[in-house]
Amino acid sequence: LVCRDGETLGRWKRDVNTGPQFQMPTYQVSVPENGPAGTPVILLRAMDPDEGDAGRLDYSMDALFDSRSNSFFAIDPQTGAVTTAEELDRETKSTHVFRVTATDHGVPRRTALATLTITVSDTNDHDPVFEQQEYKESMRENLEVGYEVLTVRATDGDASPNANILYRILNGNGANRIFEIDPKSGVIRTNGLVDREAVESYQLIVEANDQGRDPGARSSTATIHITVEDDNDNSPQFSEKRYVVQVPENVASNTHILQVNATDRDKGSNAMVHYSIMSGNTRGQFYIDAQIGNIDVVSQLDYEMNKEYTLRIRAQDGGRPPLSNISGLVTIQVLDVNDNAPIFVSTPFQSTVLENVPVGYSVIHIQAIDADSGENARLEYALVDMSPNFPFTINNNTGWIVVASGLDREAVDFYKFGVEARDHGSPPMTSSASVSITILDVNDNNPEFTQREYTMRLNEDAAVGTSVLIVSAIDRDVNSVITYQITNGNTRNRFSITSQSGGGLITLALPLDYKLERQYLLTITASDGTRFDTAQVFVNVTDANTHRPVFQSSHYTVNINEDSPVGTTVVIISATDEDTGENARITYFMEDSIPQFKIDIDTGAVTTQMELDYEDQVSYTLAITARDNGIPQKSDTTYLEILVNDVNDNAPQFLRDNYQGSVYEDVPGFTSVLQVSATDRDSGMNGRVFYTFQGGDDGDGDFIIETTSGIVRTLRRLDRENVPLYELRAYAVDKGLPAMRTPIDVHITILDVNDNPPVFEHDEFDIFVEENSPIGLVVSRITASDPDEGTNAQIMYQIVEGNIPEVFQLDIFSGELTALMDLDYETKSEYVIVVQATSAPLVSRATVHVRLLDKNDNVPVLKNFEIIFNNYITNKSSSFPTGVIGKIPAYDPDVSDRLTYSFEQGNELKLVLLNHSTGELRLSRALDNNRPLEATMRISVTGKVCFGVGDIHLNLYQLMDQDHIYYAVIKLVVQHVVVMSYKAVWLVCLYLPLGVPIKNLTM
């Protein structure tokens, strides 16, 4: 067989080193953690059919994805035994992936690859670890039962079931019974009301138990410090129901006389007590220190004015809103001291007496008064500076001077002596006055007043001793001496009268009081000793500005809501003035200019003139003065404390503009991701903040937020490949009415874990490769995709089935499929291999059909054959075959080649007819005669490139009717012979390769 260029065509086979082959492309094995170095892991064996060095293998392995794995394992290079190189820790690294290589010593050296995935199995060698070893949390007292205080969380580095953590409170007895913990979620709640005054702080010891079984359960504890914040739920309590103190009236100003004390069971500002006098301090004589409760006398006391004071004290705490107690009573008993000397109602005393009056006659009444009381005011009179044989004596108790012996005007017509008034105080005090007694003759004319009535106006603030009026009487007797006395109407001994220059001088003996008496009707008696006359004196007392305005309390406290409109009346402050008229007309003003408020000067109404804001200022103290319009003006000052009530006018404010966090997609439910925090400038319930996703976005239920702490936790398993980023929206909501809320954006990035196997684009691939392609040709690139990212998306490729012997090699990283041997379509037209993509420990597989494309690399094949034709000659009918008697027995191993047929020589007479395209043969009619024939012909078969030749031997025989048996044989191919036998007119022929139908044979 030759090609058209005349060269002989032939094929040769390379004698190459057969590569080794692992029994399996992928090995997976588990080894427990904490085993000693040298622990057997697995024995890897590869097979190599070669003999000698070509079949001797060396083993090695190299870590894929994480080079740290190389330090944990070793492989015996001769046996392939894999052992641990050091103690393993599953929590440090749980999966190790290696590329294992078996290399022979042939030429060239051939290798086999396999993947070894070693999973480190868990033992319970880790205690649960709390997020914090000590938790510190504060909560307000009196919160509702079931209030979530905080959530504790512990993690366990072990794997389930060695990490199923349950929580419990170890010291849950006694006072700690007030708390309970959810054993699964770790949420600590109250199961009763918390009272700070009973227990101010709690210390809980919480245990986390991992429920492990291999080798046993492990646990750890955390300490929870819960501080109870104070609510202002206790009002101050006075140490005594009534305080009593006795104070001498002469106590010095600014003297401390008593301290009241009230305590508040609350804490901090809620327990800071401020004191004020609510009532009883009408004249402002006492002052109380607002901080410590010391009561001082600030102005002079006067027992004679007021013997006892009862003050009502208010104790108010500093809470918001404040609580107060006004039950404190202080009784101040003023003790009299002997601070007033007796005062004579008139000095000097003058009187006359007739010389003929009997012994015991009362001449003149000496009067003195003492403003003190008791023994300090009990007076005793005595005469002093007397001459010998003095004819008068005085009653020590009443002060009446009486005639003690007979008078003799002719002997002595005038007596002048002294009188002394002494009180019984300690030490006693005395006063003295002079007394003049004129001895008169007896007469028979009555004195007569020059006026029967006198009218006089006197201001109540007139000083003692002020001259009021001089009355005058005339006695027509000679040398008569008229004396004057107030014999009626001298209420409270306010006035006294003395004889002076023949008249009676009325003077003011004691201070007036317009409130007590506004008019006096005095009866004045003028006497010459025996005869007398009377006159009426009308004294009208006019009001003086003797009283200052007095507030009912030295301190007022009122409340006002911060959202009250401008112009709201806060309170009406009023003072009273015991004077009348202009002296009692009061105007009000503020001592300091506080722009938020103003006061009506006439009514005392305090109103707002600016908007208030509790968050800027919670209270104001105004000094308000009430001033009368007397001359001179008098005033009193009180303090108005205005407490601003909080209203819910501030929404919660987050500490950040937004929050960002990240979490691995495979974390268990209720894992904490981040914590949001907001504050509210309001107070009380208006300032208490809780957190919620309600009305926002919780990632379709993938996250929850703890209402009290603001910790955002996962609610279920996440999947980064579905949702790589969550844009959540949470709200901070206060507990005011109506509640105010503030949104916050929370961005949570989901971190990838290797939880998705690689995915081939198709389950089956068809690859077409031309035969005779050079060894080492990359015939295709087979790749898979992994929805994970980073190292978790790194894919390793290998052939796991159908590559025996090793015809192809798949690059472990690129997926390039390379031919390692000659590919011959005529030897094998299709290879079916299974490839595996590994993203340890996850794998997927695909079937690859490598289909070879035929090339025209074979010459047509044609062998010599012969045609034997027995021509049956008869007179009856023609039996010469006119159809196809057969086909040239040629073939081409190349399925793509198309053959053409032709006679080279020997058929010049065209005895055999040939179809050049199909190779079909027919006999020419020229052979239908009675002559035998034998001929040899040369035929050629031609493909696209090469051709072949062969010889045809034609033998023609004649058969007559008389022959009993006739034979017709066409000998085509020696190996295939079929003989058919007929008697009489039967034709026996040979048939197979020509494919000639029997109907076309000669009968």
Side-chain angles (χ1 to χ4, degrees):
L1 299 179
V2 295
C3 293
R4 288 182 177 177
D5 57 4
E7 295 182 359
T8 301
L9 182 66
R11 296 178 61 88
W12 56 275
K13 183 178 180 181
R14 298 181 179 92
D15 185 10
V16 295
N17 175 32
T18 303
Q21 188 76 29
F22 279 101
Q23 295 175 348
M24 297 169 56
T26 301
Y27 295 86
Q28 293 185 347
V29 66
S30 177
V31 60
E33 64 176 330
N34 301 329
T39 299
V41 179
I42 190 175
L43 179 62
L44 299 177
R45 297 296 300 271
M47 306 300 294
D48 193 317
D50 296 319
E51 297 179 354
D53 284 345
R56 184 165 57 87
L57 301 179
D58 285 341
Y59 296 92
S60 63
M61 67 181 188
D62 190 34
L64 295 174
F65 309 130
D66 192 341
S67 60
R68 293 180 299 170
S69 298
N70 288 325
S71 62
F72 290 103
F73 298 92
I75 188 170
D76 188 295
Q78 279 75 44
T79 64
V82 179
T83 58
T84 60
E86 58 182 73
E87 187 176 289
L88 303 179
D89 183 10
R90 187 201 67 85
E91 290 70 35
T92 301
K93 187 167 180 59
S94 60
T95 302
H96 303 267
V97 182
F98 294 93
R99 177 175 57 195
V100 182
T101 304
T103 306
D104 64 19
H105 288 261
V107 178
R109 302 187 73 172
R110 302 294 296 276
T111 61
L113 299 177
T115 303
L116 172 62
T117 301
I118 302 174
T119 301
V120 182
S121 61
D122 186 51
T123 58
N124 194 21
D125 59 344
H126 285 80
D127 294 332
V129 178
F130 282 93
E131 291 176 335
Q132 304 177 45
Q133 196 59 40
E134 289 195 5
Y135 292 80
K136 294 183 179 180
E137 187 60 63
S138 60
M139 61 174 293
R140 302 191 69 85
E141 61 177 330
N142 302 324
L143 293 175
E144 66 275 6
V145 175
Y147 174 80
E148 292 185 7
V149 182
L150 79 159
T151 300
V152 299
R153 179 161 180 82
T155 57
D156 195 311
D158 296 315
S160 181
N162 294 324
N164 295 327
I165 297 176
L166 294 181
Y167 304 92
R168 67 177 178 135
I169 299 175
L170 296 181
N171 59 339
N173 296 324
N176 291 341
R177 290 181 182 273
I178 204 76
F179 298 99
E180 62 184 9
I181 188 169
D182 187 295
K184 292 186 177 180
S185 67
V187 175
I188 297 177
R189 299 183 177 90
T190 60
N191 57 15
L193 291 178
V194 177
D195 184 6
R196 190 205 64 81
E197 287 71 36
V199 181
E200 188 169 357
S201 64
Y202 297 85
Q203 179 174 301
L204 307 179
I205 299 176
V206 175
E207 178 193 69
N209 189 298
D210 63 13
Q211 309 295 303
R213 297 181 180 179
D214 180 17
R218 300 174 72 104
S219 64
S220 63
T221 60
T223 303
I224 316 299
H225 301 277
I226 300 176
T227 302
V228 182
E229 295 181 348
D230 187 50
D231 262 354
N232 193 25
D233 56 349
N234 291 278
S235 59
Q237 299 298 317
F238 286 97
S239 60
E240 300 181 26
K241 292 184 178 180
R242 179 185 292 269
Y243 299 84
V244 179
V245 63
Q246 294 180 331
V247 180
E249 63 175 325
N250 63 345
V251 65
S253 295
N254 299 317
T255 298
H256 168 65
I257 61 172
L258 177 69
Q259 182 180 18
V260 297
N261 182 50
T263 56
D264 194 312
R265 295 182 65 203
D266 294 318
K267 185 179 180 182
S269 60
N270 294 333
M272 294 179 61
V273 180
H274 301 271
Y275 303 92
S276 59
I277 300 175
M278 294 292 294
S279 62
N281 192 25
T282 55
R283 296 184 180 274
Q285 292 169 296
F286 303 97
Y287 165 80
I288 188 168
D289 188 298
Q291 305 298 324
I292 62 177
N294 281 345
I295 298 178
D296 298 341
V297 176
V298 294
S299 63
Q300 185 66 48
L301 301 181
D302 190 351
Y303 172 85
E304 291 70 35
M305 296 279 295
N306 203 340
K307 297 179 175 58
E308 184 176 277
Y309 298 87
T310 298
L311 307 181
R312 183 172 293 276
I313 308 298
R314 177 174 68 177
Q316 177 175 289
D317 62 29
R320 295 183 180 178
L323 299 178
S324 61
N325 184 346
I326 59 172
S327 65
L329 294 176
V330 175
T331 298
I332 301 172
Q333 298 173 346
V334 182
L335 301 179
D336 184 45
V337 296
N338 194 21
D339 58 346
N340 291 283
I343 299 176
F344 287 96
V345 297
S346 175
T347 184
F349 289 93
Q350 294 180 347
S351 185
T352 61
V353 62
L354 293 175
E355 59 181 333
N356 63 346
V357 296
V359 173
Y361 177 79
S362 298
V363 180
I364 186 171
H365 189 197
I366 302 300
Q367 274 187 301
I369 59 175
D370 195 314
D372 296 320
S373 64
E375 289 298 299
N376 294 329
R378 188 164 65 85
L379 301 180
E380 193 176 84
Y381 300 93
L383 299 178
V384 295
D385 300 331
M386 299 178 295
S387 59
N389 301 319
F390 192 67
F392 300 101
T393 188
I394 189 169
N395 188 306
N396 291 340
N397 295 322
T398 65
W400 277 99
I401 295 178
V402 298
V403 177
S405 60
L407 302 177
D408 185 0
R409 189 194 66 79
E410 287 73 24
V412 181
D413 62 353
F414 178 77
Y415 293 91
K416 185 175 182 180
F417 53 93
V419 63
E420 182 181 78
R422 177 187 297 269
D423 61 28
H424 284 72
S426 179
M429 299 187 73
T430 61
S431 294
S432 61
S434 63
V435 182
S436 298
I437 299 177
T438 301
I439 309 300
L440 301 177
D441 286 334
V442 175
N443 62 71
D444 55 357
N445 293 290
N446 294 331
E448 293 182 359
F449 280 100
T450 57
Q451 290 180 229
R452 303 309 299 176
E453 292 184 355
Y454 296 87
T455 301
M456 186 64 186
R457 297 176 65 88
L458 184 62
N459 202 319
E460 70 168 331
D461 61 352
V464 173
T466 299
S467 297
V468 179
L469 178 67
I470 297 177
V471 296
S472 179
I474 300 174
D475 193 328
R476 287 180 294 172
D477 291 326
V478 179
N479 296 326
S480 63
V481 177
I482 301 174
T483 60
Y484 300 88
Q485 290 183 337
I486 302 173
T487 56
N488 196 12
N490 192 14
T491 305
R492 304 182 196 277
N493 296 321
R494 301 287 189 184
F495 300 95
S496 64
I497 188 169
T498 58
S499 298
Q500 184 174 336
S501 301
L505 175 63
I506 300 174
T507 60
L508 185 63
L510 292 174
L512 299 174
D513 191 341
Y514 178 80
K515 297 189 298 297
L516 297 178
E517 292 90 20
R518 298 187 180 185
Q519 188 182 58
Y520 294 86
L521 176 58
L522 304 178
T523 299
I524 306 300
T525 299
S527 174
D528 61 5
T530 56
R531 298 179 179 274
F532 62 89
D533 191 14
T534 60
Q536 303 293 321
V537 177
F538 293 90
V539 180
N540 292 314
V541 181
T542 59
D543 185 31
N545 193 21
T546 58
H547 299 91
R548 64 183 178 86
V550 176
F551 285 104
Q552 191 174 22
S553 174
S554 62
H555 188 278
Y556 294 86
T557 301
V558 295
N559 295 76
I560 183 172
N561 289 340
E562 64 174 324
D563 62 347
S564 299
V566 174
T568 298
T569 299
V570 181
V571 68
I572 297 177
I573 300 292
S574 62
T576 58
D577 193 317
E578 295 181 2
D579 295 319
T580 60
E582 285 297 300
N583 296 331
R585 186 168 66 84
I586 300 173
T587 56
Y588 302 90
F589 62 93
M590 293 192 302
E591 291 286 351
D592 300 316
S593 177
I594 297 179
Q596 286 82 1
F597 302 95
K598 66 178 180 179
I599 188 169
D600 188 285
I601 61 172
D602 296 320
T603 66
V606 178
T607 57
T608 60
Q609 59 181 1
M610 290 178 62
E611 292 183 350
L612 304 178
D613 189 353
Y614 172 90
E615 289 69 38
D616 289 340
Q617 191 165 345
V618 299
S619 66
Y620 299 85
T621 300
L622 312 182
I624 296 177
T625 298
R627 180 177 293 162
D628 62 24
N629 284 272
I631 300 176
Q633 289 183 315
K634 295 186 176 182
S635 64
D636 189 19
T637 299
T638 189
Y639 294 93
L640 172 61
E641 184 179 14
I642 301 175
L643 302 177
V644 181
N645 294 332
D646 182 45
V647 298
N648 195 22
D649 59 344
N650 288 278
Q653 294 295 319
F654 283 95
L655 302 183
R656 300 181 187 174
D657 294 334
N658 58 71
Y659 290 84
Q660 296 182 353
S662 61
V663 64
Y664 282 99
E665 61 179 322
D666 65 339
V667 297
F670 298 101
T671 296
S672 62
V673 182
L674 54 84
Q675 184 176 22
V676 301
S677 182
T679 59
D680 194 311
R681 295 182 64 200
D682 296 318
S683 66
M685 297 300 287
N686 296 331
R688 280 186 57 191
V689 178
F690 68 95
Y691 306 92
T692 181
F693 278 130
Q694 185 175 0
D697 188 347
D698 61 357
D700 292 332
D702 287 345
F703 295 89
I704 59 171
I705 188 169
E706 292 183 357
T707 57
T708 55
S709 67
I711 294 177
V712 177
R713 298 184 182 274
T714 61
L715 185 58
R716 52 191 175 215
R717 196 70 173 261
L718 307 175
D719 187 0
R720 186 203 64 83
E721 289 69 39
N722 285 332
V723 184
L725 174 66
Y726 286 88
E727 295 182 351
L728 311 180
R729 169 158 288 200
Y731 284 89
V733 186
D734 61 30
K735 293 195 174 183
L737 291 175
M740 300 188 74
R741 54 172 41 206
T742 301
I744 189 69
D745 291 328
V746 180
H747 301 281
I748 299 177
T749 301
I750 309 304
L751 303 178
D752 186 52
V753 295
N754 193 19
D755 59 346
N756 289 278
V759 177
F760 286 103
E761 186 176 359
H762 306 289
D763 292 335
E764 294 196 11
F765 293 88
D766 288 321
I767 299 174
F768 296 93
V769 183
E770 289 186 351
E771 65 172 332
N772 302 329
S773 296
I775 295 175
L777 175 70
V778 176
V779 299
S780 180
R781 185 178 183 188
I782 302 170
T783 59
S785 59
D786 191 322
D788 295 320
E789 64 179 1
T791 58
N792 295 327
Q794 291 182 354
I795 301 174
M796 181 179 66
Y797 303 93
Q798 61 188 136
I799 302 172
V800 294
E801 293 180 16
N803 197 30
I804 300 176
E806 193 175 5
V807 180
F808 298 98
Q809 178 177 290
L810 188 63
D811 188 278
I812 194 169
F813 293 115
S814 68
E816 292 181 344
L817 185 65
T818 304
L820 299 180
M821 298 176 60
D822 284 327
L823 302 177
D824 184 12
Y825 176 88
E826 289 72 33
T827 301
K828 190 171 184 178
S829 62
E830 181 180 0
Y831 296 88
V832 180
I833 59 176
V834 177
V835 297
Q836 177 174 290
T838 302
S839 177
L842 306 174
V843 299
S844 63
R845 294 185 176 185
T847 301
V848 179
H849 298 267
V850 181
R851 306 180 192 274
L852 300 187
L853 300 176
D854 184 46
K855 292 186 68 175
N856 194 14
D857 58 347
N858 290 279
V859 299
V861 177
L862 177 61
K863 294 184 178 181
N864 297 334
F865 66 94
E866 61 182 338
I867 299 174
I868 301 173
F869 175 55
N870 293 321
N871 187 20
Y872 174 58
I873 300 175
T874 180
N875 295 324
K876 295 179 180 181
S877 62
S878 176
S879 60
F880 188 84
T882 58
V884 176
I885 64 171
K887 186 177 179 181
I888 294 175
Y891 71 94
D892 193 326
D894 298 318
V895 298
S896 61
D897 207 0
R898 187 170 184 177
L899 302 179
T900 58
Y901 306 87
S902 63
F903 284 105
E904 294 283 333
Q905 61 184 22
N907 194 29
E908 289 82 357
L909 297 177
K910 296 186 179 355
L911 298 177
V912 179
L913 303 180
L914 173 64
N915 187 317
H916 297 286
S917 299
T918 64
E920 294 176 337
L921 297 173
R922 289 182 174 85
L923 297 178
S924 173
R925 274 286 185 182
L927 296 175
D928 189 12
N929 55 51
N930 55 2
R931 295 189 300 272
L933 178 66
E934 182 177 349
T936 299
M937 304 174 187
R938 172 64 59 89
I939 193 170
S940 67
V941 180
T942 305
K944 293 180 181 179
V945 178
C946 299
F947 67 92
V949 294
D951 291 337
I952 300 176
H953 300 281
L954 177 61
N955 292 308
L956 180 61
Y957 300 99
Q958 301 294 329
L959 294 178
M960 301 301 179
D961 281 335
Q962 63 270 23
D963 294 328
H964 295 287
I965 297 176
Y966 303 93
Y967 296 92
V969 178
I970 301 175
K971 192 175 183 180
L972 302 177
V973 180
V974 175
Q975 296 92 327
H976 302 89
V977 178
V978 176
V979 177
M980 301 182 66
S981 176
Y982 299 88
K983 289 185 178 180
V985 295
W986 295 98
L987 171 65
V988 179
C989 69
L990 172 74
Y991 170 78
L992 181 59
L994 296 178
V996 181
I998 294 178
K999 66 180 181 177
N1000 291 334
L1001 296 178
T1002 302
M1003 302 296 282

